[in-house]
């Protein structure tokens, strides 16, 4: 994207020529981060150092000065957090720090934001939010505690990165400060969890949070500690050893095994064409005319090994992990690169029993085996990605599918579920890849549908679906581990509709066409509202409140209009605000 | 289960090869028959001399014969056309017509079809008891012919719902039988179809004016980009012509008889002599015409504009019109009341489409008036029948808040109340007309308030025993 192609003109129209984004990364070729696990075997501590290559923007048009980041920087960060979990069981503490002098991180690059189209900004923010949530997830569920060693100024997204860590140490050099200058300087929000985490996680009083978030220079020293913006300020000379000591204490409290052997995460094998992406276990076919993508998740071929030894031996080839990685990659690519494919049709294909092996491994071992535990939480995070994906998600449950247990979560994450009642026997002969294997479609509930993969609101997807009806959820609990066909699934409230073979094709076609004709913005808003019922958590608030407000502000002229704060930043001219409060 | 579908349900939609349609119609048909038995004609008959649509060809699309009414073969027919029909108007003008319902327009198309479908059985219900007072077997037969064909039109709409709208469509088809004319809990959708047709003069007026509205509605749907709807409506228009014929000639015969009685008794006051005074006929014209105008909806309508732009509903004889068929830049005029005066206003053409259709309808209605006035003239009377002003007695649209005289003058509530009975059928008029309604079931005989027809049906004489009563 260049200034010419990626700008917003005076009328507010976005010129999009978004480059295709790849989410592949490898520590050996990171441009912006160093993942240092050299001492981890001994200390349990890894260092993740941010040293951004100014000329390494993912698209042209800006320089990543002062350790400011863009999507490319965050793609590496995400890769690092994943590898820390899967390849480094020995790492119990991750110290996030800067490789630059005096600059921890200046947050998202402003020129990048100013030149980016709205969808790009939104996608970027969503992904960075997910990565930061993932860091907290590692701290909470993997015994891998993140500590921010803020060895220079942390502004905006830089401070938000620190906020995602369990502890924040700030160097006390009389100049390094933490700040959230978005409101005073840019006319937007600290949208990567900043506002939320300051009050929710760090328990900063709301009046102080108000002062802090409108003070462009931020806070440092004693006051920053007093206000709980950081946990500790550390003099420069005691810096390294204090950081090491805090990291060591966190490591000592970790549940990570002493003798684990990590698994490699090799590059994903992926075949891309203009019409789709094919992985080993996940397939996506684009239908650009209809504005949709057909996603098929293939169940394991011939079952999943259930012995722990074999699971570790297979590592990244272990089907639940391999499938999850592919699905994760697909979701990210579709979100970033295929904006006009507004509906995702989600199918599964495979044997119900085989798919359930994933359950059994997770049920049996996720508490005592670190790798199985990682697989469980990874699948949970990918499902959460689906939950916050701004596309219409429709599950098609057809004969030959394997929506059972964990895979049933895919269907439950969808906005609607359609299950074929009967078979499409007539068509099977013509279309060997189509449904019609004789047996009717079946789904199966398992224990893992009742809390193994919670949503960001803290509830299971069934708990969300039947919010306020605990009796029904309790009844469903009695129905686990047996095959349920369409009509019964409809009665149980597990599917939206169960058209029979005669109606199936028309019902689905009309439903999809109707969907495609609706306003994409209204759909995004509607879906996001329906998907998250009931209680809020810090995580859900980041998406439902902070992000929603941020995305509104992003399209307002006061931010992204030609005279808006975001566009005027760094031009020497002041923003010209429309003063009316809305 | 082996059913000869072409025998049981005459059709040209490959019913025998369409499992989906078979299943839908199979479960719907018993309910339809049940509806026909409870809501259809109340007079018990052995059989009736009816025409049955059996084909769509130019020649011999229908067969005539005596059939027991519940064994009438209600069929499903679409007019035949080439496959390359293109959309004639709206945003998608020039693109191929749709052979399937585009999901984007599912709701709108379904609504249009349901509304059209709802009127068809409604008139059967409204006319349910009319047979008990038929002026002749010929007229009784015509009533039943209209009834079975309205039934077939219901089938036509149900076919569309079944074939193209999935489960939703089936539910709507079912609901068409559950709403009933005048039912307090579940009435028909349009107000005009919840009034009973109390007498034969009303029936003739209804088939002349209200069925003519149907003709114009069908005419706009005939233009639809949704090809099956278009073809269905085209075929329905064929049958609709007969219904209007019943109205036109029915009123002909009433006017003729009225003239005869006026001459015979040398007075306009023919009520005591068993006739319907010309003044009463005029009042019935006033009533049925104005009620039918309401069926066109408001003069200014964004729905109609949306339907047009989307290609769902065109104008009358869309393809013969010489404009761009998109109308985004054109304007039209609508009648309205402003500053205490009946006047006209210029609005975007798209918003004036209901007015446009209504104006076509008004022109068409004039032809009947000319015809009846020719009878008056021929028989030596100076009096003339006329159509009242479009603003007269309106309950829908821009005139609904005003009172307008048949001549087009704006008047106040008090004047309206005082004069209402001289413009619309009064209680006394209705009682008088009702008093004339005595059945005449003897072949070749006719009631005294109406003249016999000049021709019988399908070359048969008037005396023919068109109906065998049970």
């Amino acid at each position: 994207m260049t200034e010419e192609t990626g700008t917003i003109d005076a009328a507010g129209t976005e010129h999009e020529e978004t480059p295709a984004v790849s989410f592949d990364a490898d520590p050996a070729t990171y441009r912006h981060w160093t993942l240092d696990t050299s001492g981890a075997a001994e200390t349990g501590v890894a260092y993740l150092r941010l040293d951004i290559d100014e000329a390494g923007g993912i698209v042209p048009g800006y320089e990543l000065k002062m350790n400011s980041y863009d999507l490319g920087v965050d793609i590496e960060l995400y890769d690092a957090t994943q590898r820390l979990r899967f390849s480094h069981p020995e790492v119990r503490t991750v110290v996030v720090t800067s490789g630059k002098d005096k600059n921890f991180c200046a947050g998202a690059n402003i020129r990048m934001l100013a030149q980016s189209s709205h969808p790009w900004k939104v996608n970027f923010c969503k992904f960075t939010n997910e990565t930061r949530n993932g860091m907290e997830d590692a701290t909470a569920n993997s015994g891998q505690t993140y500590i921010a060693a803020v060895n220079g100024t942390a502004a905006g997204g830089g401070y938000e990165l620190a906020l995602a860590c369990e502890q924040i140490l700030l160097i006390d050099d009389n100049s390094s400060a933490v700040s959230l200058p978005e409101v005073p300087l840019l006319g937007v929000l600290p949208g990567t969890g900043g506002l939320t985490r300051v009050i929710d996680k760090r328990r900063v009083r709301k009046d102080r949070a108000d002062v802090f978030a409108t003070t462009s220079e931020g806070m440092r020293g004693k006051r920053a500690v007093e206000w709980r913006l950081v946990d500790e300020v550390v003099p420069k000379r005691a810096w390294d050893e204090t950081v090491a000591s805090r990291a060591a204490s966190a490591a000592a409290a970790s549940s990570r095994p002493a003798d684990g052997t990590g698994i490699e995460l090799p590059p994903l094998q992926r075949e891309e064409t203009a019409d789709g992406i094919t992985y080993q276990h996940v397939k996506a076919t684009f239908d650009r005319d209809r504005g949709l993508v057909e996603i098929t998740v293939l169940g394991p071929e011939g079952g999943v090994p259930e012995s722990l030894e074999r699971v570790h031996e297979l590592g990244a080839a272990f089907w639940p992990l391999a499938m999850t990685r592919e699905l994760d990659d697909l979701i990210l690519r579709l979100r970033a690169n295929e904006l006009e494919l507004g509906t995702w049709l989600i199918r599964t294909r495979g044997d119900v029993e085989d798919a359930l092996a994933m359950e059994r491994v997770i049920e049996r071992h996720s508490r005592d085996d670190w790798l199985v535990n990682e697989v469980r939480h990874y699948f949970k995070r990918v499902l959460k990605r689906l939950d916050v994906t701004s596309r219409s998600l429709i599950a098609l449950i057809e004969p030959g599918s394997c929506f059972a247990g964990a895979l049933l979560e895919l269907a439950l994450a969808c906005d609607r579920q359609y299950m074929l009642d009967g078979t499409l026997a007539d068509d099977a002969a013509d279309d060997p890849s189509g449904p019609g294997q004789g047996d009717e479609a079946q789904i199966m509930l398992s224990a893992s549908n009742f809390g193994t993969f919670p949503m960001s609101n803290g509830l299971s997807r069934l708990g969300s679906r039947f919010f306020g009806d605990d009796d029904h959820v309790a009844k469903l609990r009695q129905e686990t581990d047996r095959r349920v066909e369409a009509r019964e699934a409809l009665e149980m409230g597990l599917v939206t509709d169960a058209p029979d073979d005669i109606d199936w094709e028309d019902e689905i076609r009309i439903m999809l066409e109707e969907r495609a004709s609706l306003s994409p913005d209204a759909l995004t808003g509607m879906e996001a509202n329906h998907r998250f019922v009931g209680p809020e958590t810090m995580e859900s608030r980041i998406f439902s409140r902070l992000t929603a407000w941020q995305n509104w502000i992003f399209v307002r002229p006061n931010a992204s209009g030609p005279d808006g704060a975001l566009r005027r930043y760094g031009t020497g001219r002041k923003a010209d605000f429309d003063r009316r409060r809305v | 289960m082996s059913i000869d579908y072409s025998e049981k349900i005459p059709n040209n939609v490959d019913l025998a090869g369409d499992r989906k349609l078979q299943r839908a119609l199979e479960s719907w048909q018993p309910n339809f028959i049940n509806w026909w038995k409870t809501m259809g004609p109340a007079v018990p008959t052995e059989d009736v001399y009816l025409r049955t649509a059996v084909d769509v060809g130019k020649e011999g699309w229908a067969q005539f014969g005596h059939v027991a009414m519940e064994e009438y073969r209600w069929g499903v027919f679409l007019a035949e056309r080439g496959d390359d029909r293109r959309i004639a108007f709206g945003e998608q003008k020039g693109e191929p017509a749709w052979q399937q319902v585009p999901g984007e327009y599912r709701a709108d198309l379904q609504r249009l079809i349901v509304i059209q479908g709802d009127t068809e059985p409604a008139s059967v219900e409204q006319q349910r008891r009319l047979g008990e007072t038929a002026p002749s077997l010929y007229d009784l037969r015509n009533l039943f012919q209209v009834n079975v064909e309205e039934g077939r039109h219901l089938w036509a709409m149900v076919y569309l719902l079944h074939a193209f709208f999935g489960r939703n469509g089936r539910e709507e088809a079912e609901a068409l039988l559950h709403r009933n004319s005048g039912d307090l809990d579940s009435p028909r959708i349009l107000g005009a179809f919840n009034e009973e047709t109390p007498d034969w003069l009303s029936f003739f007026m209804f088939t002349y004016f209200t069925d003519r509205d149907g003709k114009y509605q069908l005419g706009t749907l005939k233009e639809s980009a949704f090809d099956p709807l278009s073809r269905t409506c085209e075929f329905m228009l064929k049958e609709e012509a007969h219904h209007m014929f019943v109205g036109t000639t029915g009123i002909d015969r009433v006017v003729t008889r009225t003239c005869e009685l006026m001459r015979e008794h040398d007075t306009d006051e023919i009520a005591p002599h068993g006739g319907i005074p010309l003044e009463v006929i005029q009042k019935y014209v006033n009533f049925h015409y104005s009620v039918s105008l309401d069926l066109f909806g408001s003069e200014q309508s964004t729905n109609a504009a949306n339907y047009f732009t989307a290609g769902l509903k065109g104008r009358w004889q869309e393809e013969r019109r010489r404009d761009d068929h998109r109308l985004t830049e054109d304007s039209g005029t609508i009648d309205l009341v402003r500053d205490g005066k009946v006047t006209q206003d210029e609005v975007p053409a798209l918003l004036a489409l209901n007015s446009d259709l209504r104006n076509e309808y008004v022109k068409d209605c004039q032809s009947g008036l000319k015809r009846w006035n020719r009878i008056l003239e021929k028989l030596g009377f100076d009096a003339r029948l006329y159509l009242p002003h479009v603003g007269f007695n309106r309950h829908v649209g821009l005139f609904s808040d005003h009172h307008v005289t048949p001549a087009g003058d704006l008047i106040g509530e008090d004047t309206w109340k005082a004069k209402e009975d001289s413009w619309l059928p009064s209680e006394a008029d209705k009682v008088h007309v009702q008093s004339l309604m005595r059945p005449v079931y003897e072949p070749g005989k006719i009631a005294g308030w109406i003249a016999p027809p000049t021709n019988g049906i399908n070359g048969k004489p008037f005396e023919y025993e068109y109906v065998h009563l049970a």
Side-chain angles (χ1 to χ4, degrees), chain A residues 500 503 506-507 509 513-514, chain B residues 20 23 101 103 167 170:
Chain A
D500 63 20
D503 283 336
D506 265 1
E507 293 284 340
R509 178 186 63 79
E513 287 181 7
E514 209 165 16
Chain B
K20 177 170 69 175
R23 181 184 65 173
V101 173
R167 176 175 309 188
R170 286 203 297 278

Side-chain angles (χ1 to χ4, degrees), chain A residues 115-187:
Chain A
Q115 79 173 36
S116 295
S117 69
H118 184 68
W120 181 274
K121 286 200 283 282
V122 170
N123 256 323
F124 165 69
C125 289
K126 186 174 284 176
F127 180 70
T128 53
N129 268 320
E130 287 170 327
T131 303
R132 279 140 195 77
N133 288 341
M135 289 162 59
E136 285 174 337
D137 184 60
T139 303
N141 297 308
S142 292
Q144 208 166 58
T145 304
Y146 277 73
I147 294 180
V150 181
N151 54 345
T153 286
Y159 178 52
E160 291 178 301
L161 178 62
L163 283 168
C165 298
E166 199 56 16
Q167 295 176 40
I168 304 175
L169 308 184
L170 173 62
I171 196 160
D172 195 8
D173 59 2
N174 283 315
S175 66
S176 296
V178 296
S179 66
L180 292 177
E182 282 88 345
V183 173
L185 292 187
L186 305 170

Side-chain angles (χ1 to χ4, degrees), chain B residues 8-44:
Chain B
K8 193 174 171 194
I9 305 173
N11 72 88
N12 70 340
V13 295
D14 187 27
L15 182 53
D18 189 336
R19 218 154 55 89
K20 177 170 69 175
L21 200 53
Q22 282 169 25
R23 181 184 65 173
L25 286 178
E26 263 164 31
S27 76
W28 187 79
Q29 193 198 25
N31 295 334
F32 171 79
I33 297 294
N34 194 34
W35 168 81
W36 179 265
K37 283 180 181 159
T38 52
M39 300 304 290
V43 171

Side-chain angles (χ1 to χ4, degrees), chain A residues 27-206:
Chain A
T29 54
Y30 286 169
R31 290 185 78 166
H32 310 294
W33 290 93
T34 320
L35 175 54
D36 176 5
T37 55
S38 54
E42 205 178 312
T43 61
V45 179
Y47 285 82
L48 198 47
R49 291 194 185 86
L50 182 61
D51 188 1
I52 291 176
D53 175 356
E54 283 189 10
I58 192 169
V59 292
Y62 51 82
E63 290 177 332
L64 296 171
K65 290 185 175 161
M66 299 170 72
N67 251 10
S68 64
Y69 61 81
D70 68 356
L71 180 59
V73 176
D74 235 67
I75 287 171
E76 291 182 3
L77 174 61
Y78 176 55
D79 183 73
T81 61
Q82 287 291 94
R83 289 182 197 278
L84 280 163
R85 291 179 88 160
F86 283 99
S87 308
H88 297 284
E90 79 282 8
V91 172
R92 300 157 162 242
T93 304
V94 182
V95 175
V96 180
T97 191
S98 167
K100 282 195 165 57
D101 198 26
K102 299 203 168 169
N103 258 313
F104 175 74
C105 172
N109 185 278
I110 309 308
R111 288 188 147 272
M112 177 276 292
L113 285 178
Q115 79 173 36
S116 295
S117 69
H118 184 68
W120 181 274
K121 286 200 283 282
V122 170
N123 256 323
F124 165 69
C125 289
K126 186 174 284 176
F127 180 70
T128 53
N129 268 320
E130 287 170 327
T131 303
R132 279 140 195 77
N133 288 341
M135 289 162 59
E136 285 174 337
D137 184 60
T139 303
N141 297 308
S142 292
Q144 208 166 58
T145 304
Y146 277 73
I147 294 180
V150 181
N151 54 345
T153 286
Y159 178 52
E160 291 178 301
L161 178 62
L163 283 168
C165 298
E166 199 56 16
Q167 295 176 40
I168 304 175
L169 308 184
L170 173 62
I171 196 160
D172 195 8
D173 59 2
N174 283 315
S175 66
S176 296
V178 296
S179 66
L180 292 177
E182 282 88 345
V183 173
L185 292 187
L186 305 170
V188 298
L189 302 180
T192 315
L195 292 183
T196 314
R197 285 196 174 92
V198 163
I199 55 168
D200 253 277
K201 181 177 181 181
R202 311 239 12 134
R203 309 283 160 101
V204 175
R205 242 169 47 203
K206 77 160 187 178

Side-chain angles (χ1 to χ4, degrees), chain B residues 193-209:
Chain B
F193 291 91
N194 284 308
E195 307 285 340
E196 199 192 344
T197 307
D199 57 64
W200 281 77
L201 182 58
S202 298
F203 173 63
F204 294 134
M205 293 290 173
F206 183 94
T207 45
Y208 186 83
F209 289 108

